[in-house]
Amino acid sequence: MIGVFHADTPPAVPTDTFSLLVPIFLALVSTAYIVLSKMLGMHHLNRERQQSFPKTYLDSLVNTLDQQRKKIANTLHNYKIQADKSRPPPPIPTVSLRAGDKTHDKEYRENQDKFLIRCRAETGPVFKLSIHRLQITVVSDEFIREMFLNKNFSNVDALNELMGVKTFLHSLIKSGKNHDARIQNSIILEHLTPDLPRYLPEMVRALEAALVEGFGSNVKGKVFESPVTIIQDMVAGTVFMGAEVANNPKVLETFVMSMHDFAGVLGLNDINIPFWRRWLNLKLNHFNNPLKHRVRTLAEAATPVILERRRREARLINEGADAPQFIKERPHDILQKMLDRFDKYGFVDLEDICGHIMLLILTSVHTTIDASTAMVYYLATYPETIPILHREQIQVLDAIQQERQQERASRLSKGLEISPDLDPSHDRDLTTKALKRMAHLDSFQREVLRCRTEALTHFHMARKETILSNGMVISKYGMMLANLTSTHANNAAAHGLNPAKFQPWRYVGTFKTMTKVGVDFLPFGMGKHVCPGRFMASQQTKIVVSLMVSKFEKIEFQDPSQAARVLRTQHGNVASPALVFTSRE
């Protein structure tokens, strides 16, 4: 097989002359017959003469001609395959190094987009880089779709190979140690995303309370050295553990510090650390995972709350509560959903449940904190966006308030009672309906994530040798990265004019929302492993931005020269410069 695949000379053209001439001769005879029959008017022969004509001879002639035609097509097809195999696959070009550089890391960090444009011009859409202490194949344009949709390329395998994520995280749980986090995905898709409208009021309450506590109710030019710490407190795990547990100071600290522990062990803050140090960290912390005591903290805080919930539930049953009352009294959070489906998911005990909640926190809460912080810094970088977002918020809430007033008036005119969901005190709440109408807010979010996401991201690893559509071969265990500059920053067809420029209202009036993924918008990935929690992330970041623009008239950098540091995520360089906040009158 190897000899055939890499033959130096192409296979010989078939030399069976007879097999090539016979079908040609028959084709000529058939054509001549058709021409003569038309000239002599044979198509007007009556039925008797047609039946007397040797029809079987014609059928035989046609069948023979068809068989020979197929034989020639198969022969030529096989010849093409052999000819293709005889040529070695095109090599993946390597981008040249600048004078004095030993890797591409420095040039990439100086200006990501400029560097990748040079790479494309020099090599084409697929090329190799020496970056992050690895030889990595970078794919651009349509090849990004191939990387995401081809089952031979795995993001999970890549992260596990680079950081040992699978083994490390599995030490936190006792059940469901599968490769693709099916339990976490099921919880999000079945119990979190569909119930977001129900969770939203509690999310708004918790976020607003944390904002007031962190920033104060009335500040005038007050400097906050690290706003991210306040946003961490805002985006807590109320939805996962319930307000009763999440309000525990130890639990709040666990939510905030768990990612810090996780990053420290896996070296996420410095992707360029030597591989032996990363390997040693993983081996040492597999048996002494610092997040295990965080999980135990959650379990200890949840235990008395769960016992009280069971006592309350037993009391309702004994009192003969009807179904609506029973459902109303039951808590609506992910912890309760997991307890109710204890056997379905195969959980072992409460600590196991809290371990799975910790995985949800690591993969959702902290990414939401990161995105929310970025959006606050973009508000400071582009202050002209604040009054526009605030005006839209007021207009949407005014319209909803008027609609609710009309609905109450209509019900009263018909002699109907006003239902609790039409309580006037909630006319101006930030509901799912209100957030959905804020088109400028959604466009702002999508544009921030499009412009901010790092240019080279989404590690994938080849599970086996795989050929791209251009013939280039990705070897088994080969690492790949997506060049988002090609789809995010240089794709005018997808994003309109000046795609490299931040334009916050770019997607107003389009169908491209923050949660709509595709090869032109990849912060959440795409394909089978697209982020299932993106809908919750969208809701929470919308609430954070809405609260910011409603509470503060100005958000400014204390040092304006620091603005450029936060406009793109960089491995090991998380910027958090001080901001100055001024409340509205």
Side-chain angles (χ1 to χ4, degrees), residues 191-204 239 332 429-436 535-536 539 543:
H191 308 302
L192 179 58
T193 301
D195 289 337
L196 275 176
R198 178 181 292 175
Y199 295 134
L200 195 67
E202 179 58 32
M203 288 166 55
V204 173
V239 171
H332 299 288
D429 286 356
L430 285 174
T431 62
T432 301
K433 180 180 180 180
L435 294 175
K436 190 174 182 179
F535 300 99
M536 177 183 171
Q539 295 282 56
I543 296 170

Side-chain angles (χ1 to χ4, degrees), residues 83-139:
D84 289 342
K85 285 186 175 181
S86 69
R87 294 190 294 268
I92 300 176
T94 300
V95 176
S96 63
L97 292 168
R98 290 189 311 185
D101 287 350
K102 295 183 179 180
T103 70
H104 295 103
D105 291 276
K106 185 177 179 181
E107 185 178 2
Y108 173 64
R109 287 297 168 214
E110 289 175 359
N111 190 318
Q112 297 179 18
D113 292 337
K114 181 179 179 181
F115 169 66
L116 290 170
I117 290 172
R118 176 177 84 81
C119 295
R120 283 291 312 277
E122 182 179 314
T123 63
V126 181
F127 49 86
K128 284 187 177 180
L129 293 179
S130 176
I131 194 170
H132 304 327
R133 294 184 179 272
L134 296 170
Q135 291 292 324
I136 297 179
T137 298
V138 177
V139 294

